[in-house]
Amino acid sequence: MLSRLLAANCINVGRRVIPLVESLVVPATRDCRSKHYDATQSFEERYINLNTDIRYEQVRNQAFDPIPLVQSTPKEGEFARSSAEFETRPNQVFGGVAYSRLPVVVILARWNNTIVTTYVDNKTICYMSCRKVGFKNAKKKTELAGETVGLEAAELCINKGCHKYVRVVVRGIGIGRKPAIRGLARGGMEIVSITDKTPITNESLPQRPRKIRRI
């Protein structure tokens, strides 16, 4: 094992010319990667492996801690607003109605059902589910059922005088997520925004697979 790389300007490894650092010292003790200092290796192989070890130590000793808020770059423009300010959007008006006063359509996409509820000024004006539109049992968890629920809910809300511009809030990861949104658009509603408020917990996500059926 070499105690120090001897004085030399460079070494030839194949077609590459690698410069040597005279102050580069080979550790005298073997570490967890002792194969890099095998006595059967050539001088060039030991030099390359030593550089690999040094680079490995530099990467491992990097600070991956989060950057303090004081040192972070401040946000500018539209990204400088907080989530509460972004949710209100005071400067946006749709059909003469401010964004914060628009009806809210909540789509609850469960594993076996899709429920669409419409709120106007925090009051429920429409409630629609797969069972109410005629789907039963296993057919409730299909894309057709989800799209039909959205379509019927949109038509019912418009008949009751609801504003056609709505905000959509999606909760759950069921099959009827996207089909219900398509149904709302087909029913005559103009979707202004789509917000995903699916709760992420270790208990329900991912879903536990069903037990194997035993006959």
Side-chain angles (χ1 to χ4, degrees):
M1 185 179 299
L2 297 176
S3 61
R4 182 183 295 273
L5 294 176
L6 301 178
N9 294 329
C10 62
I11 56 176
N12 295 323
V13 180
R15 296 183 179 181
R16 296 180 301 170
V17 178
I18 303 177
L20 291 180
V21 180
E22 296 183 1
S23 60
L24 205 55
V25 179
V26 178
T29 59
R30 293 176 177 267
D31 59 354
C32 59
R33 289 168 286 106
S34 59
K35 62 181 180 179
H36 288 178
Y37 306 105
D38 191 359
T40 60
Q41 291 180 336
S42 63
F43 181 82
E44 293 84 357
E45 292 176 345
R46 294 184 185 182
Y47 178 76
I48 294 174
N49 292 335
L50 181 60
N51 281 345
T52 303
D53 294 347
I54 295 175
R55 190 71 190 135
Y56 171 80
E57 295 295 334
Q58 292 176 354
V59 174
R60 193 182 69 172
N61 295 331
Q62 288 182 4
F64 293 99
D65 299 332
I67 301 175
L69 187 60
V70 181
Q71 302 178 5
S72 60
T73 305
K75 297 181 180 180
E76 299 178 356
E78 183 180 355
F79 300 100
R81 294 184 297 176
S82 62
S83 59
E85 295 175 352
F86 183 77
E87 188 69 22
T88 56
R89 302 184 190 180
N91 298 327
Q92 296 187 11
V93 179
F94 299 90
V97 181
Y99 177 83
S100 58
R101 300 295 301 274
L102 290 177
V104 180
V105 180
V106 179
I107 300 175
L108 181 58
R110 295 178 175 174
W111 295 108
N112 299 320
N113 198 2
T114 304
I115 301 174
V116 178
T117 310
T118 306
Y119 298 93
V120 176
D121 296 332
N122 296 328
K123 295 181 181 179
T124 304
I125 66 169
C126 175
Y127 175 86
M128 194 67 61
S129 65
C130 294
R131 185 64 184 88
K132 293 185 68 174
V133 296
F135 292 90
K136 299 180 182 179
N137 303 330
K139 296 181 180 180
K140 295 190 298 182
K141 56 180 179 180
T142 59
E143 294 186 1
L144 177 61
E147 187 171 352
T148 306
V149 170
L151 178 62
E152 294 292 336
E155 293 178 351
L156 180 60
C157 291
I158 292 177
N159 292 335
K160 288 186 177 182
C162 178
H163 203 280
K164 69 174 183 177
Y165 292 96
V166 296
R167 296 182 293 167
V168 175
V169 177
V170 183
R171 294 178 181 174
I173 56 176
I175 300 176
R177 285 166 56 98
K178 294 181 180 179
I181 298 175
R182 290 198 303 264
L184 293 175
R186 286 182 54 194
M189 285 187 169
E190 297 290 340
I191 300 174
V192 173
S193 65
I194 301 176
T195 306
D196 191 352
K197 292 188 177 181
T198 303
I200 300 178
T201 59
N202 295 330
E203 298 177 359
S204 59
L205 293 177
Q207 184 187 24
R208 179 180 178 182
R210 296 183 178 181
K211 295 189 297 184
I212 301 175
R213 182 182 178 186
R214 298 180 181 179
I215 301 176

